[in-house]
Amino acid sequence: MSKILALLHQGDDIDKRWLAEKYKVSVRTIERDLSDRLHGIVEHTADGRWQLVPQQRSTIPARHLHDYTRMAGTAQLFPDRSLPYLLEQLDTPEPRRATHVQPIPHEDLRAQGPAFAQLQTAVEQHRECHFTYKGTPRHAQPYRLIHKNGVWYLAAEEAGRLKNFSVALIEALQVNETSRFAPKPKHLDYINTKDDVWFTESTTEVLLRVAPEAAHYFARRQLLPQQQHRADADGSLLVTTHINHVNQLLPVVRFWLPNVRIVKPVEWHAALVEGLRQAMAKWGD
């Protein structure tokens, strides 16, 4: 009985024949347990299964915790991803908890809450939008709201091109409630396969040489889109990545100087060096 209740409290609706097989009892025994012993706690569903009555259900079924971690991008946060481990951490008061996760800084979008909700509805219902972005009127077809590095972006088509817009910079939003657009499969496929918010029709293959001192940081997680790496005998890494725009790469390389060098394309290495020269000229001696 306790295991049946546990299943129900996880948000599952259950079948009496499956329960009978699982616990090696007759269907009649299961029927008696559900209808008599759990009277007022469980009820029939429309398809003849059993579930908790509404007033007995948890606010959030336990199985939704895993769904939430996937939605929030934290499914890989702990080495142990089991539900018992997660519930044990939640039950342990924070002062006594052995783990502490430092949050990633996020932009505060509370002031844009109504506009965010409008955009979400527009994406779901395929409604065209009009708004002002960096002082320019825009007419766009919204495809997806994407969260990347603490910032929310709107992926939308404008004048036939797929672009991204920072939600925080969208002003005077108006959603067309009278018509719908048909999303283009090529745009959906492109968004679903991208791991960044730089949208361009083509990418440039980039080759980097990472010194041994910084190799560990590039090997332990992806710092660049579609990153692949090969370790050489001297402990350095040869890193391959595909970049949409040079400005997507240069901030990362500058952060890791002098331990990262652009091998190819050569002109991007030249742009990096020239940018450093200009910075030094501004700073003076």
Side-chain angles (χ1 to χ4, degrees):
M1 291 296 295
S2 64
K3 290 178 180 178
I4 290 174
L5 284 170
L7 288 171
L8 291 165
H9 274 284
Q10 290 177 32
D12 297 329
D13 53 14
I14 50 181
D15 177 73
K16 60 184 180 183
R17 293 177 179 81
W18 178 82
L19 287 174
E21 175 64 25
K22 180 177 178 64
Y23 296 114
K24 307 303 180 186
V25 297
S26 67
V27 173
R28 188 169 181 177
T29 296
I30 294 295
E31 288 177 336
R32 183 177 66 248
D33 289 341
L34 293 171
S35 60
D36 295 341
R37 300 176 69 183
L38 296 180
H39 178 72
I41 299 175
V42 299
E43 64 182 6
H44 266 115
T45 64
D47 58 358
R49 298 166 70 86
W50 291 83
Q51 65 183 9
L52 290 174
V53 297
Q55 59 269 30
Q56 295 291 341
R57 297 173 198 166
S58 301
T59 304
I60 302 177
R63 63 183 174 83
H64 287 182
L65 292 172
H66 282 317
D67 296 337
Y68 180 78
T69 61
R70 285 191 293 270
M71 184 181 72
T74 60
Q76 311 295 325
L77 184 60
F78 294 103
D80 187 344
R81 305 173 202 167
S82 66
L83 182 60
Y85 175 82
L86 178 59
L87 294 177
E88 181 182 358
Q89 304 312 301
L90 294 174
D91 286 338
T92 303
E94 189 168 359
R96 294 196 289 108
R97 201 175 293 159
T99 58
H100 173 68
V101 178
Q102 295 185 349
I104 298 173
H106 297 272
E107 63 180 344
D108 188 348
L109 277 187
R110 283 177 292 183
Q112 285 84 11
F116 190 92
Q118 281 184 280
L119 288 172
Q120 189 168 357
T121 301
V123 170
E124 294 168 350
Q125 299 181 357
H126 313 309
R127 305 285 188 184
E128 294 186 346
C129 297
H130 297 266
F131 52 85
T132 301
Y133 191 77
K134 296 182 178 179
T136 303
R138 307 282 188 161
H139 176 203
Q141 297 175 336
Y143 274 75
R144 190 75 55 82
L145 286 162
I146 301 172
H147 189 265
K148 181 72 174 181
N149 295 332
V151 178
W152 278 103
Y153 297 91
L154 173 69
E157 179 185 324
E158 183 187 38
R161 289 184 55 199
L162 190 63
K163 302 179 180 180
N164 70 74
F165 303 90
S166 171
V167 173
L169 300 180
I170 292 176
E171 299 177 326
L173 173 65
Q174 292 183 326
V175 178
N176 188 340
E177 301 290 349
T178 61
S179 63
R180 298 173 183 260
F181 69 92
K184 295 178 181 177
K186 68 174 184 177
H187 287 340
L188 293 172
D189 291 342
Y190 182 84
I191 293 170
N192 290 334
T193 56
K194 290 286 288 183
D195 57 1
D196 58 68
V197 292
W198 291 77
F199 295 158
T200 58
E201 295 181 357
S202 61
T203 61
T204 300
E205 185 177 70
V206 175
L207 201 61
L208 305 175
R209 173 64 67 182
V210 180
E213 293 80 1
H216 166 71
Y217 300 101
F218 281 77
R220 69 180 179 180
R221 64 186 178 96
Q222 286 200 347
L223 297 178
L224 293 162
Q226 303 177 46
Q227 176 182 317
Q228 295 183 342
H229 60 266
R230 185 197 72 203
D232 286 342
D234 63 354
S236 67
L237 289 183
L238 194 62
V239 175
T240 303
T241 179
H242 289 80
I243 301 297
N244 295 80
H245 192 277
V246 62
N247 289 337
Q248 183 184 10
L249 175 72
L250 293 185
V252 178
V253 175
R254 284 195 290 262
F255 180 86
W256 290 101
L257 288 176
N259 293 313
V260 176
R261 177 184 176 88
I262 302 175
V263 179
K264 291 195 308 185
V266 176
E267 57 269 26
W268 285 17
H269 172 74
L272 171 67
V273 173
E274 180 58 26
L276 294 173
R277 286 200 183 104
Q278 292 177 8
M280 293 296 291
K282 286 183 179 181
W283 297 334
D285 294 337

